[in-house]
Amino acid sequence: MIGTTVSHYRILEKLGEGGMGVVYKAEDSKLKRTVALKFLPRGLEAQEPERARFLQEAQAASALNHPNVCTIYDISEYQNQQYIVMEYVDGVTLRDKIAERSLQMADCIAYAIQIGEALKEAHSKGIVHRDIKAENIMVNTKKQVKVMDFGLAKLKGSSKLTKTSSTVGTLAYMAPEQIEGGEVDARSDIFSFGVVLYEMLTGHMPFRGEHEAAMVYSIVNEEPTPIHKYLPDASSELVHILDRALEKDPEDRYQTVHDMVIDIRRLKKQTSRVSLVVSASESSGRIFESIQESAESKPRRSKRTLAAVVVSAVVVVCAVIVFILLPRGPRINPDMTSRVVELPFRSVMYAGVSRDANWIVFPARDDRGKFDVYMMNLSGGEPRRVTNDSSSDMFGVSLSPDGSTILYGRRNEKQNNREIISASTQGGAGRVVIANALMADWMPHGQRIWFFAINLVRRDIVTHELWTSQPDGTDRQLAIVDTLVSRPNLRYSLSWSPDEKYFAWTRNFPDGHTEVIIRDRESGSERQLTSDGKRVDDVLWTPNNFIIYSSNKTGNFDLWIVSASGGDPVQLTRGIRFASPIGISDDSKRLVYAEQHDIGHIKIANLDDGLTRQLTVEDRGRGMPSISASGKYVAFAAREGDEASMTSNIYVIDREGKNTRQLTSGPEYKLNAAWSSDEKWITYSARATNEPLDSARVYLIQADNPGQPRSIGRGTSSYWIDEIQFVIWRSPNSYIGSLDRNANEKFFEDSARAYPILNGSHIAYWDYRKGYEGFWIVGTAQYQSSGIKGARMLHKGIQPTHRFVNDGKYMYYVEASTGTLHRISLPEGKDEPVWTKLPNMIYGWDVRKDGKEIVFSDAYRKRRFAVIDNLFK
């Protein structure tokens, strides 16, 4: 839009863009002044909640007339896009100031007083900002603060507008009652203000966790990190201000921001200018400044003093040079040897290694499609079957230090949860030691085990809890809680130091990258070991105190090794698609690692005779197929790049397996393709790889002439009613959209995924409310008159995948425990098994409109093991 004239405003340049607006610098030709124009982003201008929130921002800010609040001049519309005309602030955000690490104590106090005055003005007008954070505060060239972005403000007497936060910035500043969905008032702004003040003073957040949503648990349950950790000389008055502002209970906080500002002004009087941060370059600069000062000193200074200063400086410089030149990385043996161990299995999961690295244990799937644990000598021989419980899903195994016992993860198909089993390596029945655990392993001394448990905090936000316990699951102790937003291909790995005092683990950051973190078990202090800004997978702490990890910083997921104390990493493998360390011998001479490749082939089967054909050829990760109404075409999602890549695109292939074509491009995570009834259009969902599930949007694209996809609203999946209309699911609601209109209309009750069926005469829905979980049906006329009171349950329990065919005459679902395809006739509800030949691991499926064929992704993990001998010099 640069160069465009909007009303009497000529747009000069783009200033920035965020989730709720695009801001441009513009010239007001009437009043001859510079202003800022804020537009709703493309795609949101037709969404009523976003338009209402945009209008509320203008109303809230325009009600305030204060030098520390950004002035709103006008709100108008241009080509169906709303825009706000506001004061142009020549400066930077407080976030930029903090990032520069140039803030002094005096600056922090001065800015805090101005922020407090702005909030005091807003609160006096009955306005609660609800989104105070460093990004929403500007500092102009005259060091004047301007509080901005009242898009989430709560106006006294207005209807409540809500917004699901998807960024760490908002969550990191939220008060506990705001996170928990409680009542928000001026005291919530005071909590956020306290977080801002703490961050200005220290450059750190007061609650543990550096990535998206990682502060949620800490904010609600833990005390802030003591400021003395970063400011040892912090005064008792400053500690009092922060402690009172950051109280969990609003009743214990400052009750008004006016009281907090009074205390800050008192602090200003007591505080002299203090430098918060002195960098290493500034320190060395002072040494050389002292040399220059000595050389030009007054005659009373002795030559001996000058010589001492010069000698000291030379020693420091020499030490720095030696530090830089000395080799800091591990010394890898150039004569090391490597070999590959092939396995007679199609699909193998995560493995464990004995202390001498001569034996390996692993779950593998046999010809029946069932997993069991096998044990094998790496020098040769056939794998020996250890377990006999034959699960459809196993996800990892580890071997005790004495070699007598294994721990392995298994899905309990009856309870539909994950559990950790302990069993003897000599065979026999195993027993459950941990329920609802993601993974488990032995600690180095063999006296305890550790495991990860997963708990849902709220929708899309989970906690990974690291626990240790006795090998039988008793005496459990919580070691760490990591709260994060769930996203595709989220990876977690952990390894203990030989003395069990520390552990290395992988932390997931908001933009999608992963780093290795070293944590002190006793104190809880952490330091970041890697800083590559890439993806990191498995970590392994060696007996000689090195960390081996898998990273894609060179394109492939190769192995790297670095000292546990830090330094320069050294690359171990090259050109491997995905390598992950498994174990290392006690003498650190033999390393065992895995090479893996996730594969998903698109297959189509006739439901009458069971005849199955594979449509795809090359080994590649594919899933979530959708078959067109006539059965001529299949759309599916395919992964781009390596095994840990979170980029996928939508492809279409003919039913004969020919003419594969790519419909979409770009780095997003795309899936859930769905065909219109006339086979002209495809809808699919997409979200950036660093965003949570609730940020996904549904897009519309032509099947035979893709062009630029069209955004049709937020949502995670879609279902076509006919050639024109479709249903979009955006938790917790369903919406009806159409090709001939931009806005989507809410359809049906909350917490239900609903679909008009049988030519609109009935509504089928999955109810997600506790106590009502299951598949229900209700007549449309009956629903319009009395709601869901007359609905009938046709199937109990949540089935996350289901398909309606033949205009809703039948609903298909897959029974998870057996892989059996079922059909429910509608509206009567007769349930019958249709096909029992689905593979145990499928990544998405669909049934043709006439119910004669099923298309599915036959997924498996191809893995082999490799051994490196004489690793170190």
Side-chain angles (χ1 to χ4, degrees), residues 6-223:
V6 177
S7 182
H8 54 280
Y9 305 105
R10 187 169 66 88
I11 296 179
L12 304 176
E13 62 178 284
K14 185 177 179 180
L15 296 175
E17 183 173 358
M20 271 303 296
V22 185
V23 183
Y24 296 93
K25 181 180 178 180
E27 180 185 9
D28 184 341
S29 60
K30 286 186 177 180
L31 300 178
K32 302 301 180 183
R33 62 181 175 182
T34 302
V35 297
L37 303 186
K38 181 175 181 178
F39 289 82
L40 264 173
R42 288 286 182 186
L44 293 183
E45 64 269 12
Q47 307 300 318
E48 191 55 39
E50 280 76 10
R51 289 176 65 91
R53 191 174 293 117
F54 198 69
L55 177 62
Q56 178 161 296
E57 174 177 357
Q59 291 174 338
S62 63
L64 305 176
N65 183 16
H66 192 275
N68 296 123
V69 176
C70 182
T71 303
I72 299 296
Y73 299 135
D74 192 14
I75 184 168
S76 188
E77 193 168 291
Y78 172 75
Q79 294 183 354
N80 295 323
Q81 271 193 292
Q82 284 187 323
Y83 67 91
I84 298 172
V85 185
M86 64 178 71
E87 172 188 3
Y88 169 68
V89 180
D90 184 12
V92 297
T93 67
L94 188 56
R95 163 69 58 231
D96 297 326
K97 288 282 188 181
I98 294 171
E100 292 170 1
R101 298 196 173 187
S102 60
L103 290 175
Q104 305 298 321
M105 176 68 79
D107 296 325
C108 296
I109 295 175
Y111 294 157
I113 291 172
Q114 295 180 69
I115 297 168
E117 292 292 346
L119 288 176
K120 187 167 67 171
E121 173 70 11
H123 295 169
S124 70
K125 297 292 194 298
I127 298 170
V128 180
H129 191 287
R130 297 205 301 174
D131 200 19
I132 290 294
K133 56 183 178 181
E135 291 84 350
N136 287 346
I137 299 167
M138 294 284 292
V139 181
N140 67 17
T141 55
K142 298 179 181 179
K143 291 191 173 183
Q144 183 183 23
V145 162
K146 296 283 184 177
V147 176
M148 312 179 74
D149 288 344
F150 282 78
L152 294 184
K154 179 182 177 184
L155 281 65
K156 186 175 182 179
S158 68
S159 60
K160 184 177 181 181
L161 290 174
T162 60
K163 176 187 176 184
T164 300
S165 173
S166 61
T167 64
V168 67
T170 298
L171 284 173
Y173 297 87
M174 279 186 180
E177 66 272 15
Q178 197 169 357
I179 290 175
E180 295 175 328
E183 185 64 28
V184 173
D185 58 26
R187 295 171 297 181
S188 305
D189 278 352
I190 291 173
F191 186 95
S192 302
F193 181 19
V195 175
V196 171
L197 177 56
Y198 186 105
E199 188 184 14
M200 280 196 294
L201 291 164
T202 67
H204 298 270
M205 304 303 293
F207 299 96
R208 284 173 286 278
E210 297 295 336
H211 56 86
E212 184 170 349
M215 292 82 159
V216 173
Y217 180 89
S218 187
I219 290 173
V220 175
N221 298 286
E222 299 177 343
E223 293 303 313

Side-chain angles (χ1 to χ4, degrees), residues 312-435:
S312 299
V314 171
V315 169
V316 170
V317 172
C318 290
V320 170
I321 292 173
V322 170
F323 178 77
I324 292 173
L325 295 180
L326 279 177
R328 299 169 62 194
R331 302 184 68 187
I332 302 301
N333 186 358
D335 298 323
M336 65 182 181
T337 60
S338 62
R339 57 188 174 88
V340 172
V341 180
E342 297 288 355
L343 299 171
F345 299 100
R346 183 190 188 211
S347 186
V348 176
M349 302 304 286
Y350 284 95
V353 175
S354 62
R355 295 287 289 264
D356 58 8
N358 288 326
W359 293 87
I360 191 166
V361 289
F362 55 90
R365 189 170 65 176
D366 59 20
D367 294 337
R368 303 170 300 149
K370 297 293 185 178
F371 277 98
D372 271 299
V373 177
Y374 294 80
M375 193 167 186
M376 178 180 177
N377 191 293
L378 289 170
S379 299
E382 294 296 319
R384 174 175 64 87
R385 184 171 169 178
V386 177
T387 65
N388 292 285
D389 47 4
S390 302
S391 173
S392 62
D393 185 12
M394 287 186 180
F395 43 89
V397 62
S398 64
L399 183 63
S400 64
D402 63 7
S404 66
T405 309
I406 57 172
L407 294 172
Y408 61 95
R410 179 187 68 184
R411 181 175 295 281
N412 186 316
E413 295 171 350
K414 292 182 179 180
Q415 300 180 13
N416 195 29
N417 68 333
R418 290 184 169 191
E419 56 191 16
I420 304 300
I421 310 296
S422 175
S424 169
T425 54
Q426 300 305 311
R431 61 190 180 91
V432 178
V433 293
I434 308 291

